[in-house]
C-alpha cells in the first residue's frame, strides 16, 4: 500500500524528473565553445598585464623614474592575470569534482 495519494506521487515523479534534467550540463563542449573559452582565457590573462604596463609607464613618465614603476606594475598585472585564470578555471574544475 502506498502512503501517498496518486497526485503526490505524480508530483514527486515530476520533481525528480526536473532535478535530473537540471543536473545535466547546460552546454555541449563543442569546438566553438572550447575556442571561446580559450579566447576568453587569453583576454583575461593579457588585459591586466597591459593595464599594469600602461599604469606603470604613465607613473614613470610622471615621476621621471622610467623602469621602476613599469616593472612593479607589470608584475602586479601578471599576478592579477594568473588570479583571474585561477578564479575562472579553478572554480570550474572544483565543481566538476564534487
Amino acid at each position: 500500500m502506498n502512503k501517498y495519494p496518486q497526485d503526490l506521487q505524480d508530483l514527486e515523479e515530476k520533481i525528480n524528473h526536473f532535478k535530473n534534467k537540471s543536473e545535466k550540463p547546460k552546454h555541449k563542449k563543442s569546438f566553438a565553445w572550447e575556442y571561446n573559452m580559450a579566447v576568453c582565457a587569453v583576454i583575461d590573462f593579457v588585459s591586466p598585464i597591459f593595464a599594469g604596463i600602461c599604469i606603470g609607464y604613465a607613473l614613470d613618465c610622471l615621476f621621471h623614474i622610467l623602469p621602476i614603476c613599469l616593472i612593479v606594475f607589470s608584475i602586479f598585472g601578471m599576478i592579477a592575470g594568473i588570479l583571474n585564470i585561477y578564479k575562472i578555471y579553478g572554480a570550474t574544475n572544483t565543481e566538476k569534482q564534487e
Side-chain angles (χ1 to χ4, degrees):
M1 287 197 180
N2 297 334
K3 19 184 211 182
Y4 298 118
Q6 186 63 30
D7 292 339
L8 289 177
Q9 286 179 347
D10 292 340
L11 181 62
E12 187 175 355
E13 288 176 6
K14 287 180 182 180
I15 290 171
N16 289 333
H17 172 70
F18 284 114
K19 280 184 181 178
N20 292 335
K21 191 175 184 180
S22 67
E23 290 174 0
K24 293 179 183 176
K26 303 277 187 210
H27 52 76
K28 295 180 181 177
K29 290 190 176 184
S30 64
F31 175 75
W33 186 81
E34 294 287 338
Y35 182 75
N36 184 26
M37 292 301 286
V39 169
C40 288
V42 169
I43 291 171
D44 287 339
F45 182 70
V46 172
S47 59
I49 296 172
F50 180 72
I53 290 172
C54 290
I55 292 170
Y57 184 74
L59 289 175
D60 282 337
C61 289
L62 183 67
F63 296 121
H64 303 291
I65 48 171
L66 191 59
I68 296 172
C69 289
L70 182 66
I71 293 171
V72 170
F73 278 93
S74 63
I75 290 172
F76 285 157
M78 284 186 230
I79 292 170
I82 291 169
L83 286 176
N84 282 343
I85 298 297
Y86 178 74
K87 284 179 191 175
I88 293 169
Y89 299 105
T92 57
N93 287 337
T94 56
E95 289 173 359
K96 289 179 184 176
Q97 292 174 356
E98 292 177 353

